[in-house]
Amino acid sequence: MYLPHPCTPAPLHSLPELLLARFQLLSACFVAFAHGSNDVGNAIAPLAAIVATLQTGTVPIDSIQIPLWVLVLGGTGIVVGLAVWGKRVITTVGENIIALQPSGGMCAELATATTALLASQAGLPVSTSHALVGGVVGVGLAQGWKTVKLQTVRTIGLTWIATIPAAIGLGALTFRLFSYWLP
């Protein structure tokens, strides 16, 4: 009798996977909450700092009052980004790193949300998307490293590295533009 490797995911139609698919809806909501608690702050903090610097003439060190329009802009940006790129990102993370079953997806989502919320509580600006990729890769490594599509992980890693100089350039440009518009 053939017994599968203990780390081999169960077939999607198995009863445990069907049950965990329902629980995965809850873990996805947990990730959505964590994403909002962390990434919106990450997205609006630079703009809020620019606005405060231009309004006061000094760089804020301790805390600042964030104008409502900055919060609305940040929330809108996340929603628009999800609408435009969400499906592609979800496909890449959910299908192109490992063959993800509901049990693995739930584990990756729980790890992601916990990581993002603990980082938020500690005041650390982390990316929920990066944490989710890490969670999915972790599930793949637990199943056996050969299940991880290393080319996809490499491409993701290289794009993360490319975002640093891109963000530097856009940050400088945004600051210059706002310095002309705000007194």
Side-chain angles (χ1 to χ4, degrees):
M1 177 167 124
Y2 169 75
L3 293 174
H5 186 275
C7 291
T8 302
L12 183 57
H13 62 276
S14 72
L15 183 58
E17 288 297 327
L18 290 173
L19 290 173
L20 288 174
R22 292 179 186 248
F23 284 109
Q24 191 180 6
L25 291 173
L26 294 174
S27 65
C29 291
F30 189 30
V31 170
F33 173 76
H35 185 71
S37 75
N38 195 292
D39 286 58
V40 173
N42 293 344
I44 66 165
L47 178 59
I50 291 169
V51 170
T53 299
L54 293 172
Q55 288 176 339
T56 64
T58 63
V59 177
I61 302 297
D62 295 327
S63 65
I64 59 174
Q65 288 285 14
I66 301 173
L68 180 61
W69 69 268
V70 173
L71 293 171
V72 171
L73 185 64
T76 302
I78 294 248
V79 169
V80 170
L82 181 59
V84 173
W85 293 105
K87 184 176 180 180
R88 183 174 177 189
V89 170
I90 290 168
T91 300
T92 298
V93 175
E95 297 175 8
N96 295 342
I97 296 174
I98 64 170
L100 201 55
Q101 302 294 326
S103 57
M106 187 185 78
C107 291
E109 288 171 347
L110 289 174
T112 298
T114 302
T115 300
L117 287 175
L118 289 174
S120 292
Q121 185 65 29
L124 300 172
V126 298
S127 167
T128 308
S129 303
H130 291 190
L132 184 56
V133 169
V136 170
V137 170
V139 169
L141 292 175
Q143 293 173 347
W145 71 271
K146 290 184 180 181
T147 64
V148 178
K149 298 174 187 166
L150 296 177
Q151 180 61 35
T152 302
V153 175
R154 183 178 152 266
T155 300
I156 291 169
L158 290 174
T159 57
W160 287 347
I161 291 169
T163 61
I164 294 170
I168 289 169
L170 288 173
L173 178 65
T174 303
F175 185 83
R176 281 291 179 203
L177 290 174
F178 273 92
S179 67
Y180 290 119
W181 293 334
L182 296 175

